[in-house]
Amino acid sequence: MVSSTLAPVTGVRMDPHFFRFDERSEFDPEPVLDVLQGRRLGVIFRDVIPPAVREDMTARFWNSPGLTRRTGEPSYHVGAYHWNKPIDTYLAETGKVVQDVMGVLDVADSPWHWFRDRMNTRLSRDGARLRLAEMNGETACPALVRAWHKEGEYALEPHEDEAQCRDPRQAGFEVQQVLRYEVCATNMCIEHGSGGRLVLWNLRPDDESRRRFGIEHSGFSYPPETLDGFDRLTVDIRPGDVYVFNGRHVHAVDATIGNRTAVSFLLGFIDDETVVTWT
Ligand SMILES: [Fe+2]
């Protein structure tokens, strides 16, 4: 008999026209807007970070004074993340590490800079702009640079990025307004062994499922067997790729051999003129 905790996750499925990835060989802000405005699941820009830039960023990451090992997880990072903590803690952690983060990002031809510049040029045509999320005059962390090196079925277990934007300990943080639009994620791959594919399910879980797993404000994680029966999309990831996707959909990273190091941040509209990013 199947136990009740392992009944399938319930939620919203999107139509097949939405549930697909665009693939491009050059960066273009238009398909990113398609993702931010809910017309497409995701887009991947192939090989848009030149090897010399990747090597520079990767070396700076591993040599960073801010390099931290996540307790109990096979992951290293430079940066702070808001997930599952009070907002004051996140902002204080950000303040301590922001210089180290910029030390990794501030390279010649940095994808973190050109992504924002190109998005802002495009958004300005609509009178809109992209900036760091704010709270009480303080800003969110510019990026989380993170290396996963976990084998097994999933290096990063199935989860979604919506629940974390409703944490009551973060009431008033701008990212909670993103829930009226789409909660999206950007990843810039600077080092990649093998495997480590992005897996997405055609499912936006409902609150009843979150409650059942006790992950109402974290979205982490959904037991893989509860996702059987939903359409699944797998995206190969290679060094130099930049991808953006709708984090409301359950997603995971599959088995990774070697380091999978990426510059990442979350992003979304908070009103028709403002896109904020955070980590
Ligand atoms: Fe995620």
Side-chain angles (χ1 to χ4, degrees):
M1 201 177 97
V2 177
S3 91
S4 62
T5 55
L6 293 180
V9 179
T10 51
V12 173
R13 292 177 209 237
M14 300 298 283
D15 76 52
H17 180 75
F18 172 89
F19 190 69
R20 60 196 179 90
F21 253 65
D22 248 353
E23 187 166 337
R24 305 287 179 99
S25 56
E26 282 175 21
F27 182 74
D28 180 356
E30 276 325 313
V32 177
L33 275 183
D34 287 339
V35 178
L36 288 171
Q37 294 174 335
R39 292 184 290 273
R40 180 66 49 81
L41 175 67
V43 57
I44 185 160
F45 303 100
R46 294 290 187 192
D47 200 21
V48 290
I49 313 171
V53 177
R54 303 194 308 249
E55 282 159 25
D56 192 358
M57 294 180 96
T58 301
R60 287 167 180 243
F61 170 71
W62 288 109
N63 293 318
S64 172
L67 187 69
T68 305
R69 176 153 196 184
R70 189 159 168 172
T71 320
E73 288 284 335
S75 125
Y76 290 86
H77 65 267
V78 175
Y81 51 87
H82 84 123
W83 181 81
N84 208 22
K85 64 180 63 150
I87 187 62
D88 290 346
T89 306
Y90 171 59
L91 294 171
E93 288 175 354
T94 296
K96 280 189 198 133
V97 81
V98 66
Q99 275 193 320
D100 294 329
V101 173
M102 293 316 297
V104 179
L105 302 178
D106 277 342
V107 298
D109 201 16
S110 167
W112 184 86
H113 284 290
W114 59 243
F115 180 93
R116 303 174 91 88
D117 292 346
R118 294 283 307 275
M119 288 306 299
N120 266 318
T121 302
R122 171 60 189 85
L123 286 164
S124 68
R125 281 178 17 209
D126 300 331
R129 68 177 181 130
L130 175 147
R131 60 164 172 79
L132 296 174
E134 294 172 4
M135 170 111 186
N136 300 334
E138 294 185 80
T139 51
C141 195
L144 181 64
V145 191
R146 185 167 51 182
W148 294 97
H149 53 100
K150 187 178 167 189
E151 297 183 27
E153 190 181 8
Y154 293 108
L156 178 58
E157 286 164 33
H159 70 282
E160 37 80 16
D161 302 332
E162 178 181 332
Q164 62 187 282
C165 298
R166 278 208 227 107
D167 193 322
R169 293 170 295 174
Q170 300 187 0
F173 188 27
E174 282 187 319
V175 311
Q176 301 207 331
Q177 299 171 49
V178 174
L179 295 170
R180 296 187 290 129
Y181 296 84
E182 302 295 338
V183 181
C184 302
T186 295
N187 280 266
M188 304 171 162
C189 178
I190 56 172
E191 180 182 38
H192 198 98
S194 58
R197 299 177 304 173
L198 175 67
V199 184
L200 300 118
W201 284 264
N202 190 357
L203 168 67
R204 301 176 173 202
D206 54 28
D207 278 335
E208 192 190 318
S209 294
R210 292 190 182 103
R211 274 194 290 275
R212 191 151 53 89
F213 297 121
I215 57 174
E216 227 176 328
H217 302 128
S218 73
F220 189 93
S221 60
Y222 295 87
E225 60 270 34
T226 66
L227 301 167
D228 289 348
F230 290 96
D231 282 340
R232 212 179 106 123
L233 187 74
T234 302
V235 184
D236 286 327
I237 307 294
R238 296 188 278 271
D241 293 346
V242 170
Y243 58 95
V244 183
F245 64 94
N246 191 311
R248 282 201 151 119
H249 283 257
V250 177
H251 55 280
V253 173
D254 74 1
T256 303
I257 297 158
N259 287 324
R260 183 195 204 274
T261 308
V263 172
S264 59
F265 52 86
L266 297 164
L267 71 169
F269 278 91
I270 54 169
D271 59 43
D272 291 348
E273 288 85 42
T274 316
V275 178
V276 296
T277 78
W278 74 100
T279 56

